[in-house]
Amino acid sequence: MSEDQKRQLQSQLWGIANLLRGKIAADDYRDYILGFIFYKYLSERQFNYANTLLQGEAVEDYHELKDPELLDAIKEESLQTLGYFLKPQELFSALAAKGNSDTESESNYILEDLKAVLNHIEQSTMGTDSEEDFNDLFDDLDLNSTKIGRTVAARNAIIVQILNYLNKIDFRLEDIESDVLGDAYEYLIGEFAAGAGKTAGEFYTPQQVSKILAKIVTTGKEKLKSVYDPTCGSGSLLLRVAKEAKVSEYYGQEMTRTTYNLARMNMILHGVHYREFSIKQDDTLEHPQHLDMKFEAIVANPPFSAHWKGDENPIYQNDPRFSQYGKLAPKTKADFAFMQHMFFQLADNGIMASIFPHGVLFRGAAEGVIREYLIRELNALDAVIGLPANIFYGTSIPTCIVVLKKCREQDDNVVFIDASGDDHFVKVGNQNKLRESDIDLIVDTYRSRKPIEKYSYVASLQEIAENDYNLNIPRYVDTFEEEDEINLDQLAKDLRTLDSELKSNEVSLIGFCKQLGIQTPF
């Protein structure tokens, strides 16, 4: 598929949002649009897969299949291969067709049928390996919600409109790469995030930042056994890593139910088999779901300075993630708690790259103790990268990337990069954005560990110790611009000349005032 065709698909899908703009609140129609795109995707996969199994049979079109034995056989194969099953009458196209039939003999009311189909998709997986990946996956598609219409008829009309629009779009799953539709889905998530205000950061990391993290954690590797994100949001960071290296297994955890559902849909839409990912819903710090595992790559964009129980929970004092550092992260700033959690789950040959507010670099008290232990005792800090302000949706604060390793190749120094300067990003609308060249410079500088004037610096561990383990980037990367030298003798001469001219002008002005017979201003 060409880039033009990709853009056309993205434009078509975003057209649904424009169709509903003004009728439904953006946060509400986002969930319905993304959910129905996913339902259509599952339907087309089921239809294509069933037709391959029907080749050579009396009926080769799954839409027309009535034979119960063949249906049972297709169900068994589908659950094994796809992880779910849809009957012919449950396919997206069948419901869209019913939504168009408003005649005396047939109603176009589809809400109950649609609700039953979405429930059946989940029920079809019960007792199978894919059950957890599909459980309550369509919870956010509340077809009885007054948010999409005050009456049943109004709600039905909106849903029919969405299905009709989507039904005209050919996903072309049979002849395109598996991630093309996934990329279009990712595009939609990004567009919704851009207009969602403060809440956007909960589920989406801009692709420009995702790309940097993905390139860093895949440095020197073409294959990864596993990648993990403890605050995975929509799953975009995990999926971005797969564009840089072949990933065998994906692991993530997300606390918000809606976003957790979005992450699972996003995985499946990108062609990740249900056996290859494990996305869990829960609070990562309170109830980590993958604690017995170690990961070769870890990427994350944790909530900035979130609250957690900290020393209010005595269990944390003996928690292996936190106990060796001597202090717990403050209750009002969980940044280091997330960092410690990730480092604990990092494999010996792994790389962790995560976004944090700048405060983790220099704040004192308990955070200063933890930071010093990470550097002095564990020698885990590999790089600190300062990003421009206002590149994340919902916050304008400047952020940084912290890179940690358990077994560092260059174990006697740390790379500092200041990519926040005006010449390292462009302004697009209300946001700042990193260009491809900006991304490449960050990644190349990290990998080569080379000092660049006013951009990067390679600091020795001794130098960091002399700075009391304060990692504030300006301590290491000097971005000071010298002012032009001022010639004081010339300045004094210019001032004398100016003073003389002023006195001359005053004399002339007094003369004019006398001629006009008015009072002088002096």
Side-chain angles (χ1 to χ4, degrees), residues 189-450:
I189 294 172
E191 290 296 301
F192 282 123
K198 295 188 213 181
T199 59
E202 294 176 6
F203 65 89
Y204 188 74
T205 302
Q207 281 291 317
Q208 52 188 311
V209 182
S210 298
K211 187 179 292 189
I212 296 170
L213 299 180
K215 286 180 177 292
I216 286 174
V217 299
T218 55
T219 295
K221 297 179 180 180
E222 295 181 355
K223 294 181 180 179
L224 289 173
K225 183 180 184 301
S226 60
V227 60
Y228 171 62
D229 184 344
T231 56
C232 68
S234 65
S236 64
L237 266 174
L238 290 169
L239 291 163
R240 179 65 233 188
V241 174
K243 292 185 179 294
E244 304 298 332
K246 181 175 175 54
V247 176
S248 298
E249 297 171 339
Y250 303 79
Y251 295 85
Q253 190 165 335
E254 171 56 38
M255 186 164 62
T256 306
R257 183 75 194 182
T258 297
T259 315
Y260 161 67
N261 289 340
L262 190 56
R264 291 186 291 166
M265 291 182 187
N266 207 7
M267 284 285 155
I268 294 169
L269 270 162
H270 275 85
V272 181
H273 195 274
Y274 68 87
R275 290 195 184 93
E276 295 172 353
F277 73 87
S278 170
I279 307 293
K280 306 285 188 178
Q281 188 208 357
D282 217 323
D283 184 315
T284 297
L285 298 180
E286 289 280 322
H287 305 290
Q289 299 295 301
H290 303 99
L291 203 56
D292 59 338
M293 303 184 69
K294 303 294 181 184
F295 302 103
E296 197 172 351
I298 298 179
V299 287
N301 177 18
F304 299 156
S305 300
H307 288 221
W308 74 309
K309 290 185 177 179
D311 56 15
E312 284 183 4
N313 187 345
I315 294 176
Y316 287 146
Q317 301 288 353
N318 298 314
D319 189 312
R321 294 175 293 171
F322 316 119
S323 58
Q324 64 178 311
Y325 294 83
K327 294 283 185 179
L328 291 173
K331 292 191 290 291
T332 58
K333 296 179 178 67
D335 305 304
F336 268 103
F338 281 112
M339 192 186 300
Q340 291 166 295
H341 168 84
M342 288 184 272
F343 186 69
F344 178 80
Q345 298 215 242
L346 188 64
D348 287 344
N349 68 334
I351 305 176
M352 181 208 108
S354 180
I355 307 294
F356 292 102
H358 271 259
V360 301
L361 304 179
F362 54 79
R363 289 192 299 246
E367 292 178 290
V369 172
I370 296 170
R371 186 171 58 246
E372 179 177 343
Y373 191 90
L374 268 169
I375 301 168
R376 181 168 57 85
E377 301 298 330
L378 300 178
N379 195 10
L381 183 65
D382 198 50
V384 175
I385 303 167
L387 298 175
N390 203 32
I391 61 172
F392 286 91
Y393 302 120
T395 180
S396 60
I397 66 170
T399 54
C400 64
I401 298 172
V402 174
V403 183
L404 301 181
K405 288 183 178 181
K406 285 190 173 174
C407 300
R408 301 201 301 130
E409 298 84 357
Q410 304 288 334
D411 61 0
D412 59 348
N413 60 57
V414 175
V415 179
F416 288 83
I417 299 172
D418 186 350
S420 65
D422 290 345
D423 52 345
H424 298 301
F425 64 88
V426 291
K427 191 170 184 63
V428 179
N430 295 325
Q431 300 289 134
N432 293 329
K433 185 175 181 180
L434 297 167
R435 298 157 293 195
E436 285 298 318
S437 58
D438 302 321
I439 293 169
D440 290 342
L441 181 58
I442 290 171
V443 175
D444 291 346
T445 304
Y446 165 73
R447 289 175 173 172
S448 65
R449 306 182 81 82
K450 60 186 177 186

Side-chain angles (χ1 to χ4, degrees), residues 7-26:
R7 281 191 289 271
Q8 183 182 5
L9 178 58
Q10 291 172 353
S11 176
Q12 286 176 313
L13 293 177
W14 185 238
I16 313 170
N18 292 324
L19 195 71
L20 299 177
R21 200 179 299 278
K23 298 180 182 178
I24 308 173

